[in-house]
Amino acid sequence: MFNKVFIAKDDLFVAMGDDLGDNAWSVRVQYKPMVRFIWFGALVMAIGGFIAITDRRYRTRKSEADVKLGLGKAAKAA
């Protein structure tokens, strides 16, 4: 069971684990070069969500008569 985790520069992860006795510890070192692309993808999705929220097409209001009749903009244009 690992009890301490240290994140080093770039994409190198070092985790210090259990005491093995006689002043020795287990250590796990991993190199994961594509982790930054996962964070970049999350950032791109967040920006896309923000752009979608600010789109004016989703913020139009219908008149009460249109709501009662179930009409939208497409029915008004026809």
Side-chain angles (χ1 to χ4, degrees), residues 5-18:
V5 177
F6 304 98
I7 300 176
K9 186 179 177 187
D10 294 326
D11 298 321
L12 183 67
F13 297 89
V14 179
M16 185 173 145
D18 295 329

Side-chain angles (χ1 to χ4, degrees), residues 19-34:
D19 184 9
L20 300 176
D22 292 334
N23 216 10
W25 291 82
S26 64
V27 177
R28 179 176 59 180
V29 179
Q30 297 176 333
Y31 177 66
K32 298 183 178 186
M34 298 295 182

Side-chain angles (χ1 to χ4, degrees), residues 28-65:
R28 179 176 59 180
V29 179
Q30 297 176 333
Y31 177 66
K32 298 183 178 186
M34 298 295 182
V35 171
R36 69 181 66 195
F37 290 114
I38 294 171
W39 289 106
F40 180 71
L43 179 66
V44 169
M45 288 192 299
I47 291 169
F50 178 75
I51 291 171
I53 288 172
T54 60
D55 191 0
R56 288 180 101 19
R57 291 179 290 177
Y58 298 118
R59 291 187 281 149
T60 59
R61 293 186 179 160
K62 297 179 182 178
S63 68
E64 289 183 32

